[in-house]
């Protein structure tokens, strides 16, 4: 799916309020990463500092910090769970998030709590279109001016 | 491994206009800590009190051509940090020239209480 020039793979689930994508893995874990919309808002990412592997992440709490031009933002988790893995490559090359946000730029992997109960809160692919579009509308998203908007974005 | 509940961090901002290069760091660190779910209080004390004056916050820059200090203060506030300023005994304070981002003007006794209660205290 393409929204306002930004790509959102149909194979992923989305947390539109967090500008994150989620992918269910075969072992029951869930991988999280920033969507193309999140990247557009942040602009160039200078650093991503995740919490330590093994940390218990509460829902709506930070799983890391993203630093971008002139500001920083908490990366809040849309679900609770144990932090199983972090993308070590981002410590050296945080710009991977901008370059390949759905691939090598993944951020963390969680062992989710109560996934069966909460998974339907995260629409799959095309089903997320309306919610993402609404998020963009509420943010007054302007693709031509996204970098400036990032400074006001939470 | 269980993540500890949000920790309280008190940052004493003692740097002021005489050392502009040191003035942005406390607010940036405060922003990052707040983004990591710490409960952050930035406390302006000593020369740092000057940073609450609007004319100072709007014009002082840590690096030439960089953002004014108010930018860093706003980032910290947006991340959830509190901004307090030390009341100087015997000094009448006109709140008009102070930045709107200031949450409270506090006494030295309240600062002492926070130092005892907070899990981490930094001076920057």
């Amino acid at each position: 799916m393409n929204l306002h020039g930004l790509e959102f793979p149909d194979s992923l689930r989305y947390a539109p309020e967090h500008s994150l994508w989620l992918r269910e893995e075969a072992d029951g874990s869930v991988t999280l990463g920033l969507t193309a919309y999140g990247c557009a808002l942040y602009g160039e990412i200078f650093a991503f500092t995740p919490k330590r592997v093994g940390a218990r992440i509460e829902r709506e709490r930070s799983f890391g910090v993203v630093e971008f031009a002139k500001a920083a933002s908490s990366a809040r988790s849309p679900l609770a769970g144990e932090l199983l893995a972090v993308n070590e490559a981002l410590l050296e090359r945080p710009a991977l998030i901008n370059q390949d946000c759905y691939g090598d730029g993944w951020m963390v992997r969680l062992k989710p709590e109560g996934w069966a109960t909460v998974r339907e809160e995260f629409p799959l692919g095309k089903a997320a279109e309306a919610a993402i579009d609404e998020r963009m509308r509420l943010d007054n998203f302007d693709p031509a001016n996204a970098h400036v908007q990032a400074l006001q974005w939470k | 491994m269980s993540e500890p509940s949000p920790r309280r961090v008190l940052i004493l901002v003692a740097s002021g206009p005489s050392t502009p290069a040191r003035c942005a760091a406390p607010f940036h660190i405060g922003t990052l800590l707040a983004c990591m779910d710490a409960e952050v209080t930035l406390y302006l004390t000593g020369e740092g009190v000057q940073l609450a004056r609007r004319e100072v916050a709007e014009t002082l820059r840590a690096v030439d051509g960089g953002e004014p200090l108010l930018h860093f203060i706003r980032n910290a506030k947006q991340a959830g940090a509190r901004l307090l300023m030390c009341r100087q005994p015997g000094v009448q304070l006109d709140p008009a020239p102070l930045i709107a981002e200031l949450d409270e003007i506090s006494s030295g006794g309240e600062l002492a209480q926070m130092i005892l209660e907070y899990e981490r205290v930094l001076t920057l």
Side-chain angles (χ1 to χ4, degrees):
Chain A
M1 135 178 88
N2 188 297
L3 269 173
H4 305 288
L6 301 175
E7 204 56 44
F8 297 87
D10 291 338
S11 60
L12 299 174
R13 291 185 178 273
Y14 293 94
E17 293 296 314
H18 303 72
S19 296
L20 294 173
W21 56 263
L22 302 87
R23 185 177 62 224
E24 301 171 85
E25 307 295 349
D27 63 359
S29 64
V30 174
T31 300
L32 274 67
L34 199 64
T35 64
Y37 178 51
C39 290
L41 287 176
Y42 281 134
E44 185 183 356
I45 292 169
F46 295 152
F48 169 60
T49 309
K51 289 198 169 173
R52 307 271 187 231
V53 168
R56 184 184 179 278
I57 308 297
E58 291 177 38
R59 189 170 181 159
E60 296 305 330
R61 287 292 190 175
S62 167
F63 65 79
V65 180
V66 180
E67 293 177 68
F68 51 105
K70 299 177 184 175
S73 180
S74 178
R76 300 208 168 273
S77 179
L79 71 169
E82 180 188 343
L83 195 55
L84 291 180
V86 302
N87 186 351
E88 303 276 352
L90 298 182
L91 305 181
E92 288 291 319
R93 295 180 57 204
L96 275 175
I97 298 175
N98 299 99
Q99 293 160 5
D100 187 13
C101 65
Y102 298 116
D104 289 345
W106 66 275
M107 298 170 93
V108 297
R109 190 164 295 138
L110 293 179
K111 179 181 177 183
E113 293 175 9
W115 177 243
T117 310
V118 299
R119 72 193 289 267
E120 293 311 318
E121 294 179 25
F122 309 110
L124 180 67
K126 191 84 175 160
E129 181 173 358
I132 295 172
D133 198 39
E134 176 65 3
R135 183 71 258 163
M136 290 173 159
R137 189 188 67 76
L138 291 172
D139 290 342
N140 296 313
F141 177 60
D142 173 5
N145 205 23
H147 202 65
V148 174
Q149 281 184 287
L151 300 178
Q152 284 91 44
W153 187 57
K154 279 186 170 179
Chain B
M1 184 171 70
S2 175
E3 184 74 2
S5 57
R7 282 168 291 194
R8 289 186 297 176
V9 181
L10 175 63
I11 300 177
L12 299 176
V13 185
S15 302
S18 69
T19 53
R22 299 179 60 166
C23 288
F27 299 99
H28 186 59
I29 292 293
T31 300
L32 296 178
L33 286 164
C35 285
M36 291 175 173
D37 292 335
E39 187 182 314
V40 177
T41 298
L42 289 148
Y43 194 98
L44 307 179
T45 185
E47 198 194 351
V49 167
Q50 300 297 321
L51 305 181
R53 289 170 49 208
R54 194 180 308 120
E55 62 174 310
V56 174
E58 288 176 348
T59 56
L60 192 71
R61 286 172 165 78
V63 293
D64 287 342
E67 295 288 334
L69 193 65
L70 189 57
H71 169 85
F72 295 93
I73 293 173
R74 285 179 173 159
N75 281 346
K77 290 283 297 181
Q78 190 175 28
R82 274 198 321 153
L83 181 61
L84 275 58
M85 180 184 120
C86 188
R87 182 187 302 122
Q88 294 167 304
V91 176
Q92 282 290 357
L93 197 65
D94 176 9
L98 299 178
I99 54 175
E101 286 73 14
L102 191 65
D103 289 299
E104 203 175 308
I105 298 171
S106 170
S107 70
E110 288 166 298
L111 170 60
Q113 186 75 22
M114 283 189 284
I115 290 171
L116 292 174
E117 290 175 351
Y118 279 47
E119 284 78 20
R120 296 280 187 280
V121 180
L122 310 173
T123 303
L124 293 170

